Amino acid sequence: ELKVEQNPLFLSMQEGKNYTIYCNYSTTSDRLYWYRQDPGKSLESLFVLLSNGAVKQEGRLMASLDTKARLSTLHITAAVHDLSATYFCAVDWALGKLTFGTGTRLTIIP
Amino acid sequence: SAVISQKPSRDICQRGTSLTIQCQVDSQVTMMFWYRQQPGQSLTLIATANQGSEATYESGFVIDKFPISRPNLTFSTLTVSNMSPEDSSIYLCSVRPSDTYEQYFGPGTRLTVT
């Protein structure tokens, strides 16, 4: 059974600081997703990582994938209040069947 | 990309009743998925809805409780049967278009069972 662990579960950051969210998974997969969820909303796709060493960046967010270590990271640079949300990683184990991490609730403090 | 709509967006239902949730996609997709997000929790896959065949359920979910229909390549329904308060969750439809690696989620149906 595929297990996906995220840490930390909760993260309070000051504006302007950098931090990283970690996503570890237990079995081989070549496809990993990062989503953002605002309170009461659905999921917004941030990144799709398709191969070992993949790195994608959008604004203040950068995601990477190491399939050998079964690890993905979501790095936040110079955090701003608008980034406050819950972030999920999800591992594709069979053509669209995703196992989600526990989520990281990020709060940016002015 | 794919645009997904769900109906209803939310509902409050009594224990013992059933609710059918509709999912409509703006393009034809082979595979549609139903996920559940319990309050304050992550998402869990309920089942895969394939057009022309029976839905495939994940461990812990059964057809009698969550019957699914997939009459065509743009539409699916999920029924939550004989509801109890433990079924209070957000139910999300998801699709993976064949020409992309993206996986899209609908806006969700927020169900409260009293």
Side-chain angles (χ1 to χ4, degrees):
Chain A
E1 178 187 348
L2 172 62
K3 295 188 188 301
V4 182
E5 297 182 349
Q6 260 181 262
N7 65 82
L9 296 182
F10 299 94
L11 177 57
S12 289
M13 298 174 58
Q14 284 191 318
E15 279 189 330
K17 300 292 186 182
N18 304 333
Y19 209 82
T20 301
I21 299 171
Y22 297 89
C23 176
N24 290 89
Y25 54 99
S26 61
T27 60
T28 302
S29 173
D30 290 331
R31 202 164 299 155
L32 189 139
Y33 297 81
W34 284 96
Y35 290 95
R36 168 181 172 148
Q37 187 176 42
D38 291 296
K41 304 291 186 181
S42 186
L43 299 179
E44 174 190 353
S45 178
L46 296 175
F47 301 108
V48 183
L49 302 170
L50 299 175
S51 61
N52 188 43
V55 177
K56 289 194 173 181
Q57 183 164 5
E58 181 72 34
R60 301 175 187 274
L61 301 178
M62 183 174 71
S64 66
L65 177 62
D66 182 342
T67 58
K68 294 179 181 177
R70 297 176 187 165
L71 171 69
S72 181
T73 60
L74 180 67
H75 187 73
I76 302 153
T77 302
V80 294
H81 179 71
D82 287 352
L83 292 179
S84 295
T86 298
Y87 294 85
F88 291 99
C89 66
V91 177
D92 186 336
W93 55 274
L95 294 176
K97 298 185 180 184
L98 304 184
T99 295
F100 280 78
T102 49
T104 297
R105 186 175 297 180
L106 174 63
T107 303
I108 309 299
I109 303 168
Chain B
S1 67
V3 177
I4 305 171
S5 59
Q6 286 185 234
K7 290 181 180 179
S9 59
R10 59 178 63 225
D11 207 342
I12 301 173
C13 301
Q14 288 194 333
R15 181 195 300 258
T17 61
S18 298
L19 176 71
T20 295
I21 302 167
Q22 298 179 5
C23 175
Q24 180 76 52
V25 189
D26 69 343
S27 57
Q28 293 186 339
V29 292
T30 302
M31 304 183 80
M32 296 177 75
F33 307 89
W34 287 98
Y35 287 81
R36 180 176 75 179
Q37 186 176 26
Q38 295 177 299
Q41 303 295 314
S42 184
L43 283 81
T44 301
L45 178 63
I46 298 171
T48 302
N50 302 314
Q51 197 263 338
S53 64
E54 293 286 328
T56 305
Y57 291 84
E58 299 305 316
S59 176
F61 299 96
V62 295
I63 187 171
D64 290 346
K65 177 68 175 176
F66 297 102
I68 287 171
S69 78
R70 182 80 196 274
N72 57 53
L73 292 175
T74 63
F75 187 80
S76 177
T77 66
L78 169 76
T79 299
V80 186
S81 303
N82 188 24
M83 289 184 283
S84 67
E86 292 70 34
D87 294 319
S88 297
S89 296
I90 301 173
Y91 292 87
L92 298 104
C93 173
S94 176
V95 301
R96 166 81 64 82
S98 58
D99 60 348
T100 178
Y101 291 111
E102 290 283 353
Q103 183 125 354
Y104 299 98
F105 285 81
T109 295
R110 184 181 294 270
L111 171 62
T112 302
V113 183
T114 61

